[in-house]
Amino acid sequence: MLEQLDRGISADEIGIETARHGNLVLRSAFQLIYRRDGDTLRAVAAEGFLRPFDKGMPIAPRPFLASLKAAERALVERYAVALHLANHRHIDVEGLDHVLAVGIGAGFADDLPLFLVRAEVPASRLICTFRNPSAFAPGTLSVVARTLKALGARVAIGGLVEEQPPVGAIRSLEPDIARIDGSWFRRVAESESARRLLPDLVGGFRAQGAQVLVEGIETRHQLAAALEAGVDLFQGFLLSSPLLAGTAIDTATIDLPDIFSDEANVIPLFGPLFGRA
């Protein structure tokens, strides 16, 4: 399969890599992830996303992946890892961790060391996300997670779209990061009673040794809910949009008081939003 990967990947004049799958061109896009630092949010990682194009026009990634047969999907997932690692350098910011989705195809963890060597990326800077734990065969998830940790990579786990985080999987796998799905979080953030439960959820994950990442933050109201809940990591269109590799990404620190400066009616439920880490 590695020879097939090499045949399918090419680089342009400035070194940005793309892959061809049939008539489609596969490209990398990156979205920043932030950590709170006092009254600011600081970019600490960039997550790679696969973006397929058909005759120059983008197509939806999720239906595309779902339409692939097992062997095709395994190949495309490997393309994604190779492209994201190779193209991460074009973000042109030193010190950002790499966040990748763990493919459900067989052999993902076995091939990863070679991809890291080729891209000259230390495993310690890699965060591997299990976005769909239920897609793995029984027992496979824990084996892959242990293999990735043995390489020196960190492991993140999240729930299915629009579902709550998989508490059982987080308890058994002991991931470094627990991801809260954006669709689920946005619904909870809009409900005052449900929103009050978020600090307990976050505290439970932290008690198991996992940092907590909330993804899909699109509004200041949702950001306020995440801040009030005490999450560790923040991601979403409000903070940073996914941009194709080679596009200039603004990694400037985000000032929290500036975001909320014209929302005098934002009243934290669990203490002040600012003035604490």
Side-chain angles (χ1 to χ4, degrees):
M1 183 174 286
L2 292 176
E3 291 182 2
Q4 190 174 2
L5 283 173
D6 290 338
R7 290 196 301 270
I9 294 176
S10 60
D12 64 14
E13 61 277 4
I14 62 173
I16 295 174
E17 296 188 4
T18 59
R20 181 167 290 278
H21 180 72
N23 294 324
L24 302 182
V25 174
L26 309 178
R27 304 183 66 183
S28 291
F30 294 98
Q31 185 178 34
L32 296 177
I33 295 172
Y34 294 82
R35 181 182 298 279
R36 185 171 184 177
D37 184 5
D39 288 352
T40 65
L41 295 178
R42 177 173 52 86
V44 294
E47 182 166 14
F49 295 94
L50 191 68
R51 291 292 182 259
F53 285 77
D54 185 6
K55 299 177 181 177
M57 299 297 295
I59 62 175
R62 190 169 292 147
F64 162 66
L65 289 171
S67 71
L68 299 175
K69 296 179 180 179
E72 283 186 296
R73 177 156 184 155
L75 175 62
V76 168
E77 287 172 346
R78 283 165 171 76
Y79 276 139
V81 173
L83 293 177
H84 298 337
L85 288 174
N87 290 326
H88 192 280
R89 72 191 70 172
H90 295 286
I91 300 175
D92 197 27
V93 177
E94 293 185 2
L96 290 182
D97 288 334
H98 307 243
V99 183
L100 302 173
V102 177
I104 62 175
F108 174 90
D110 297 330
D111 293 341
L112 188 58
L114 178 58
F115 293 142
L116 290 170
V117 170
R118 288 183 172 185
E120 299 180 344
V121 174
S124 61
R125 303 310 302 267
L126 188 63
I127 302 170
C128 297
T129 295
F130 293 89
R131 283 197 166 274
N132 187 358
S134 63
F136 289 82
T140 304
L141 189 65
S142 58
V143 172
V144 176
R146 285 197 299 268
T147 302
L148 293 172
K149 288 185 176 183
L151 291 174
R154 283 163 285 170
V155 168
I157 191 166
L160 296 173
V161 174
E162 299 187 359
E163 291 187 10
Q164 66 182 11
V167 178
I170 290 173
R171 185 178 298 114
S172 62
L173 292 180
E174 300 182 346
D176 301 280
I177 297 172
R179 299 184 66 136
I180 297 179
D181 172 72
S183 301
W184 183 85
F185 174 78
R186 289 191 295 271
R187 290 203 313 272
V188 171
E190 296 306 317
S191 167
E192 208 66 48
S193 59
R195 179 170 166 168
R196 288 181 179 273
L197 301 176
L198 285 173
D200 289 338
L201 177 69
V202 171
F205 291 147
R206 284 178 136 186
Q208 296 176 56
Q211 297 183 57
V212 180
L213 185 157
V214 167
E215 56 190 50
I217 297 172
E218 297 179 351
T219 68
R220 289 178 286 188
H221 181 77
Q222 294 159 13
L223 176 59
L227 289 165
E228 291 162 9
V231 307
D232 303 283
L233 300 163
F234 306 78
Q235 184 180 21
F237 283 94
L238 176 67
L239 308 174
S240 173
S241 299
L243 296 173
L244 291 173
T247 306
I249 297 179
D250 183 3
T251 59
T253 298
I254 297 174
D255 189 77
L256 289 171
D258 285 350
I259 289 182
F260 296 104
S261 61
D262 62 344
E263 288 199 358
N265 61 334
V266 174
I267 303 176
L269 299 177
F270 303 96
L273 290 180
F274 314 121
R276 61 175 173 81

